[in-house]
Amino acid sequence: MVKILHLSDIHLGSSFSHGKINPETGLNTRLEDFTNTLSICIDRAIDDNVDLVLFGGDAFPDSTPAPYIQSAFARQFRRLVEADIPTVLLVGNHDQHTQGNGGASLSIYRTLGVPNFIVGEQLETHLINTKSGLVQIITLPWLTRSVLLTRPETEGLSMEEINKLLIQKIEPVLEAEIRQLNPKIPTILLAHLMAERANLGAERFLAVGKGFQIPLSMLIRSEFDYVALGHVHKHQNLNKQNNPPVVYPGSIERVDFSEEKEEKGYVLVDIIEKQVNWQFCVLPARPFVTIEVDVSSSDNPESDLLKAIARHKIEDAVVRVIYHLRSEQLELIKMSRINESLSQAHTYNLKAQLVSKLARPRLPELGIGKSLDPLEALSTYLKNRNDLQDLVPDMLSAAENLLSKVV
């Protein structure tokens, strides 16, 4: 039996705006949150004596993290070296330079020759000798258009046409790796990508226009025992038949309020003679809580706002309060009482939104917590602008062309 821990999208150094400085350490509490959940993952790998750890990419929010953030990441993964657990670190989109030339934030581990550490910077197969036997890992890092295609090849093409061209480039390379596999050895595809039909999290906003979707037919192959994915922050299995499981473990901490309702965790995988069992393990990620209330028709807006806050569990949570009111009600709310009611929150943010009878009705599709990419958002907006109907086709076409040129 080969036992594997699969985690992804650590994003160490993210979400600082939702934290505060810990006076005892001088560090942002959100860095401590992310480090704590990462530590729990590493603890589990060591305690369960796993054979292999697979990291699906995006160690940091960008390719040049501050030295103290790099050190926090290295301290945790060094524990795997000391425990003699082989580890594969895959390069994600946030780990790369903007030009897509190499995974700057992770390359140091390859350069230093850290024992049992493999950095997946290109599409290739790695044969790893674990204490339970050999395992084959095909690494497929994040690939950008600028890496696979030249500007003349993409000029004048729509995003859909570019997507097809990218698939034509990558498919034969992946097929060549698959044909060289030893069918008697457990095989895993470790990839950082946007798979079709994936239920998107915050990465919809982070990656739009910079990547392409991989068809599931490229991932659901009998040669793979398990497909370990990274990039999408929401945990999900894209192949319910589990032949093979195609799993996003999701991120280990909530990056922002778009992930408020998502569980965070990692995945444990057992492979026993080509039989695969896996389980999602939930991490104690810090809760995010949105409190939205309309007090514009209230005679006592302060009381109603306090009641709305009291109905939510806010202790140690990152909280945002969005309250709608009329301008003449502002003086009826004492902010000292509101601040006191939120004192148990880890951090909080108050946002008053003034209501006017002359204001255009809001579009629920574009409201808080909704996940639309730019084209969908623009299309939704234009459908509700009668004065722009004649321009809709041209505006959508122009927007699509602009996004297709982003590399």
Side-chain angles (χ1 to χ4, degrees):
M1 181 179 73
V2 177
K3 193 162 192 174
I4 299 163
L5 188 143
H6 170 208
L7 75 158
S8 189
D9 295 87
I10 296 171
H11 286 277
L12 197 64
S14 298
S15 195
F16 278 14
S17 62
H18 298 303
K20 56 188 176 184
I21 298 300
N22 182 340
E24 295 182 2
T25 64
L27 299 174
N28 189 290
T29 52
R30 291 299 285 148
L31 175 63
E32 295 177 332
D33 287 346
F34 281 68
T35 303
N36 178 60
T37 48
L38 175 57
S39 176
I40 293 172
C41 297
I42 304 300
D43 286 344
R44 184 67 182 272
I46 295 172
D47 292 343
D48 282 22
N49 196 26
V50 302
D51 298 290
L52 181 65
V53 170
L54 300 177
F55 170 60
D58 284 354
F60 310 103
D62 56 54
S63 63
T64 55
Y68 73 99
I69 296 175
Q70 288 178 314
S71 295
F73 181 88
R75 277 194 298 271
Q76 292 301 323
F77 278 89
R78 178 184 174 183
R79 296 166 57 203
L80 296 176
V81 177
E82 294 169 345
D84 198 26
I85 297 175
T87 301
V88 183
L89 302 177
L90 188 67
V91 171
N93 55 307
H94 289 277
D95 302 314
Q96 295 179 345
H97 285 299
T98 54
Q99 294 84 0
N101 297 321
S105 65
L106 296 176
S107 295
I108 188 66
Y109 294 99
R110 173 182 52 79
T111 304
L112 293 175
V114 179
N116 289 329
F117 260 58
I118 294 171
V119 179
E121 296 182 277
Q122 57 188 5
L123 203 171
E124 60 181 324
T125 302
H126 307 270
L127 188 61
I128 300 175
N129 189 13
T130 75
K131 59 181 176 292
S132 295
L134 294 172
V135 179
Q136 297 171 122
I137 307 292
I138 297 179
T139 53
L140 176 55
W142 179 263
L143 298 173
T144 63
R145 286 197 284 271
S146 60
V147 171
L148 297 175
L149 301 173
T150 63
R151 285 191 179 276
E153 289 178 293
T154 61
E155 189 172 356
L157 297 181
S158 67
M159 292 181 71
E160 183 178 357
E161 291 170 329
I162 292 173
N163 195 68
K164 290 180 179 178
L165 189 56
L166 287 164
I167 298 302
Q168 292 173 8
K169 291 274 188 177
I170 195 173
E171 199 164 22
V173 182
L174 179 59
E175 187 65 32
E177 293 296 324
I178 292 174
R179 291 186 179 185
Q180 297 178 37
L181 295 170
N182 185 338
K184 297 181 180 180
I185 299 175
T187 301
I188 296 171
L189 174 65
L190 175 62
H192 192 94
L193 51 80
M194 183 68 75
E196 65 178 5
R197 299 212 298 265
N199 191 342
L200 305 177
E203 282 295 323
R204 175 187 289 268
F205 305 105
L206 298 174
V208 66
K210 296 187 178 181
F212 57 99
Q213 288 192 352
I214 297 291
L216 281 177
S217 59
M218 288 179 62
L219 307 178
I220 301 177
R221 298 284 299 261
S222 60
E223 295 87 351
F224 301 146
D225 295 297
Y226 179 78
V227 178
L229 299 181
H231 182 55
V232 174
H233 287 195
K234 184 175 183 178
H235 164 62
Q236 56 203 288
N237 175 21
L238 300 181
N239 183 19
K240 301 303 181 183
Q241 300 299 317
N242 284 313
N243 59 347
V246 179
V247 178
Y248 284 105
S251 53
I252 66 170
E253 262 286 344
R254 296 181 177 90
V255 173
D256 56 31
F257 280 95
S258 70
E259 299 176 10
E260 179 177 343
K261 300 184 185 301
E262 298 173 5
E263 285 190 319
K264 298 301 173 183
Y266 58 92
V267 173
L268 284 177
V269 185
D270 292 331
I271 302 177
I272 309 172
E273 296 182 352
K274 295 293 182 175
Q275 295 296 314
V276 180
N277 297 304
W278 65 276
Q279 62 172 318
F280 177 66
C281 305
V282 178
L283 287 165
R286 188 177 295 280
F288 276 52
V289 177
T290 297
I291 303 171
E292 185 167 11
V293 58
D294 187 345
V295 297
S296 60
S297 59
S298 173
D299 294 330
N300 193 338
E302 179 184 295
S303 176
D304 287 350
L305 182 53
L306 289 171
K307 289 177 182 177
I309 295 171
R311 286 194 294 267
H312 291 77
K313 186 177 179 180
I314 65 170
E315 186 176 1
D316 293 327
V318 175
V319 179
R320 63 174 173 178
V321 179
I322 304 167
Y323 56 106
H324 307 268
L325 74 169
R326 305 187 310 276
S327 57
E328 59 267 27
Q329 293 175 303
L330 287 170
E331 61 184 19
L332 300 178
I333 298 178
K334 295 180 180 178
M335 295 313 299
S336 59
R337 294 193 63 188
I338 306 302
N339 290 330
E340 182 181 354
S341 71
L342 292 165
S343 60
Q344 289 187 317
H346 181 67
T347 58
Y348 63 89
N349 176 265
L350 292 161
K351 185 175 182 180
Q353 294 192 343
L354 297 181
V355 174
S356 170
K357 293 181 180 180
L358 300 178
R360 183 175 19 240
R362 294 173 180 238
L363 300 179
E365 301 95 326
L366 302 180
I368 293 169
K370 301 297 181 181
S371 295
L372 295 178
D373 65 33
L375 280 177
E376 290 177 295
L378 178 60
S379 178
T380 299
Y381 173 75
L382 292 174
K383 286 178 182 177
N384 289 272
R385 286 293 301 270
N386 294 328
D387 56 326
L388 298 177
Q389 292 306 300
D390 292 340
L391 300 175
V392 168
D394 291 338
M395 292 182 73
L396 289 176
S397 177
E400 184 174 353
N401 287 332
L402 283 173
L403 287 173
S404 70
K405 294 176 182 179
V406 178
V407 296

